[in-house]
């Protein structure tokens, strides 16, 4: 039996705060992509996707969430955090990837 303090996503998502952690990760990401000096066309498109989170009526019936976007763009997100040496964000990204992606 698995220890409660070390959840395993392959057995159950019980004890994993995937939604909360991905929302916190997006907040850390926005510190960078909302800065005009760090932004580019890719991140502008990504921010457009963020505006459609939880709104299937504006996304062709498909309901996006932060975890889906993190999972879909994890390498781009990691690259940005590495570029700006954001260790706090990288640590949370590793946790989200390990637990939820």
């Amino acid at each position: 039996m698995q220890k409660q303090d070390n959840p395993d996503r392959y057995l159950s998502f019980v004890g994993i705060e995937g939604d909360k952690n991905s929302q916190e990760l997006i907040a850390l990401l926005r510190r960078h992509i909302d800065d005009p000096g760090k932004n580019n066309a890719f991140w502008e498109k990504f921010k457009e996707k963020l505006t459609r989170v939880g709104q299937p009526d504006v996304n062709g019936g498909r309901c996006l969430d932060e975890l889906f976007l993190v999972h879909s763009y994890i390498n781009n997100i990691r690259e940005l955090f590495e570029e700006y040496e954001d260790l706090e964000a990288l640590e949370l990204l590793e946790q989200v990837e390990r637990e939820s992606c």
Side-chain angles (χ1 to χ4, degrees), residues 12-27:
S12 168
F13 283 98
V14 173
I16 295 174
E17 297 182 4
D19 291 333
K20 176 183 166 282
N21 290 337
S22 61
Q23 291 164 0
E24 288 178 15
L25 188 65
I26 292 296

Side-chain angles (χ1 to χ4, degrees), residues 1-88:
M1 180 122 184
Q2 179 155 344
K3 292 173 60 178
Q4 194 68 6
D5 61 342
N6 191 18
D8 184 340
R9 69 175 185 229
Y10 295 110
L11 299 177
S12 168
F13 283 98
V14 173
I16 295 174
E17 297 182 4
D19 291 333
K20 176 183 166 282
N21 290 337
S22 61
Q23 291 164 0
E24 288 178 15
L25 188 65
I26 292 296
L28 295 174
L29 177 64
R30 292 209 68 132
R31 294 186 309 188
H32 299 288
I33 66 175
D34 288 340
D35 179 340
K38 297 179 180 178
N39 203 353
N40 61 39
F42 174 84
W43 293 115
E44 283 300 314
K45 288 299 243 182
F46 185 85
K47 287 193 287 187
E48 286 178 27
K49 291 179 187 295
L50 284 174
T51 66
R52 296 192 298 263
V53 165
Q55 298 183 44
D57 53 317
V58 297
N59 197 44
R62 189 167 153 220
C63 191
L64 295 176
D65 62 29
E66 292 87 354
L67 184 57
F68 174 81
L69 290 172
V70 168
H71 177 77
S72 297
Y73 296 97
I74 197 160
N75 291 325
N76 305 85
I77 294 169
R78 178 178 288 109
E79 184 178 296
L80 183 98
F81 290 154
E82 287 174 349
E83 179 179 351
Y84 295 107
E85 299 177 353
D86 191 334
L87 301 181
E88 174 190 9

